[in-house]
Amino acid sequence: MAPRTVSFSPATAPPARPPGYYVRQRLLQNRPAMLGLGFIVLCTLVALLGYWVLPDNSPDANNSLVQLQKQPPGLRVQLLRLPLPDSSYKATGFFGTWLRGKTPEFREIPIATGSLGEMKYDSVSFRPWTAPDAPRAAEQVIAVRKYEDQVRTYWLGTDKAGRDTLSRLLLGTRVSLGIGLVAVLISLALGMLIGAVAGYVGGWVDSVLMGLMTVVWSIPGIMLVIAISLALDSKGVWTSFVAVGLTMWVDVARVVRGQMLSLREKTFVEAGRVLGLPQSRLIARHLLPNMTGPLIVIATSNFAAAILLEAGLSFLGLGVQPPAPSWGLMVNEGFQLLGTQAGLWLTLLPGLAISLLVLSFNLLGNGLRDAYDPKTPLGG
């Protein structure tokens, strides 16, 4: 009887994957984190598109007509557009144009009833828009009938100045995301520098820098931002950016210092010293890249904290100044109108927008923390 031949097939080894692959897989499987990331991406698109998606292209223009002020959601108005003279335009600079848009080219007048051809416009309602040397109101009505009218729906109502709440709410994402981005960049640059020097050099340098961190850490963030704003003796967007960024570097510095203390004794660092590599190259090229995970996690946390700080500053009148749209400033305007129907919506809507954006960054931060943890199983 011939012996049987038994064949063994080698076990198929799983393909080798870089660590980043498993980080992405764990993050994609985290549904709350992906929901937060989706909302952040949506807000980023709204901020980048800006005036392309706004129902009202001049959300900072005051409207003196009482009919459009402090109105509840769902208001429908028929508007007549009158061209403004060239002398009314003013330069706002690049950042001002990006934040508030161009100066409106038309003045919009609400029409109460009827079509434009059948409109009976009295001098009382037309008087606020009439120049001192202008002709009679009846002649002006005949002159403006050649311009087309349009119907606009204020889906979220108007504020005390007659401005579209939805447009200002959408444009406010630029301020919140902008101040978060700039504040995180400032905090990362300053925190990584101080933390790396303190953790790598050690000795009395570490003691001095740790004392500085402790002092800054003991001061409440909002109080420190107010102090920096007063020290800079100015109010506005850029002051808020710098002030918030200078108060958030301590968290980054403490994380970088702790990571540096554990990494500076590793074998690859000793090999770099033996090869004569300068300390700056060891820190920048070999140590800091190993802290990418913790730095990304703390950056998302600081992003959320920066949005809250900016909202608090604007609510107190120390941040973004009117008429620029800011969620904190909108909450303040609604707070002044509490007791009215419009005040409820003006307070609730921007407060809800702040809460959703901060929650999204917190969910994303928690997801990134779990994704960078090698103990977290895939699919868990």
Side-chain angles (χ1 to χ4, degrees), residues 5-268:
T5 303
V6 180
S7 60
F8 296 93
S9 59
T12 303
R17 304 285 189 182
Y21 170 81
Y22 299 101
V23 171
R24 290 192 298 270
Q25 291 300 314
R26 283 190 286 263
L27 181 61
L28 291 175
Q29 294 173 2
N30 192 321
R31 292 184 179 180
M34 296 309 298
L35 287 176
L37 179 60
F39 187 76
I40 293 171
V41 171
L42 177 62
C43 292
T44 304
L45 290 176
V46 171
L48 292 176
L49 293 176
Y51 291 88
W52 291 94
V53 296
L54 296 187
D56 186 2
N57 290 330
S58 57
D60 60 339
N62 295 341
N63 200 318
S64 60
L65 289 184
V66 180
Q67 299 95 312
L68 294 184
Q69 296 177 1
K70 297 178 287 187
Q71 295 297 321
L75 175 67
R76 291 177 62 85
V77 179
Q78 190 176 13
L79 298 172
L80 180 68
R81 304 184 71 189
L82 298 178
L84 291 174
D86 296 337
S87 59
S88 63
Y89 302 153
K90 58 182 179 180
T92 57
F94 173 77
F95 189 77
T97 302
W98 183 82
L99 182 63
R100 297 189 296 271
K102 298 180 180 180
T103 303
E105 301 177 0
F106 295 90
R107 172 172 290 170
E108 295 175 336
I109 302 176
I111 300 175
T113 56
S115 62
L116 187 59
E118 302 173 353
M119 189 61 197
K120 295 181 179 179
Y121 218 96
D122 58 5
S123 60
V124 177
S125 60
F126 201 83
R127 188 177 296 120
W129 309 93
T130 305
D133 55 347
R136 292 177 301 171
E139 297 177 0
Q140 289 189 358
V141 172
I142 297 174
V144 300
R145 282 180 178 173
K146 60 182 180 180
Y147 300 106
E148 295 183 356
D149 61 332
Q150 60 177 345
V151 177
R152 177 178 299 167
T153 301
Y154 294 89
W155 297 104
L156 299 182
T158 59
D159 60 4
K160 63 180 181 180
R163 299 169 295 197
D164 184 22
T165 302
L166 177 59
S167 298
R168 291 179 62 80
L169 198 65
L170 293 176
L171 199 59
T173 57
R174 285 187 169 184
V175 176
S176 296
L177 293 178
I179 197 170
L181 178 61
V182 175
V184 165
L185 292 178
I186 294 176
S187 63
L188 284 177
L190 192 59
M192 290 172 61
L193 176 62
I194 296 178
V197 172
Y200 187 84
V201 177
W204 66 270
V205 175
D206 185 24
S207 301
V208 171
L209 294 178
M210 277 299 298
L212 177 62
M213 295 181 201
T214 304
V215 171
V216 177
W217 187 277
S218 62
I219 302 175
I222 189 68
M223 298 301 297
L224 191 58
V225 170
I226 292 175
I228 294 175
S229 300
L230 295 177
L232 295 176
D233 194 21
S234 64
K235 301 177 183 179
V237 178
W238 287 110
T239 303
S240 302
F241 284 6
V242 176
V244 173
L246 291 178
T247 59
M248 305 177 66
W249 62 270
V250 178
D251 296 335
V252 181
R254 290 171 69 92
V255 171
V256 172
R257 176 185 175 274
Q259 293 289 323
M260 194 69 66
L261 289 175
S262 62
L263 290 176
R264 68 178 184 179
E265 304 299 334
K266 298 294 183 179
T267 305
F268 69 91

Side-chain angles (χ1 to χ4, degrees), residues 263 268-269 272 277 280-290:
L263 290 176
F268 69 91
V269 179
L277 296 179
S280 59
R281 183 174 180 181
L282 279 174
I283 294 174
R285 299 288 299 275
H286 300 282
L287 289 174
L288 289 179
N290 287 277

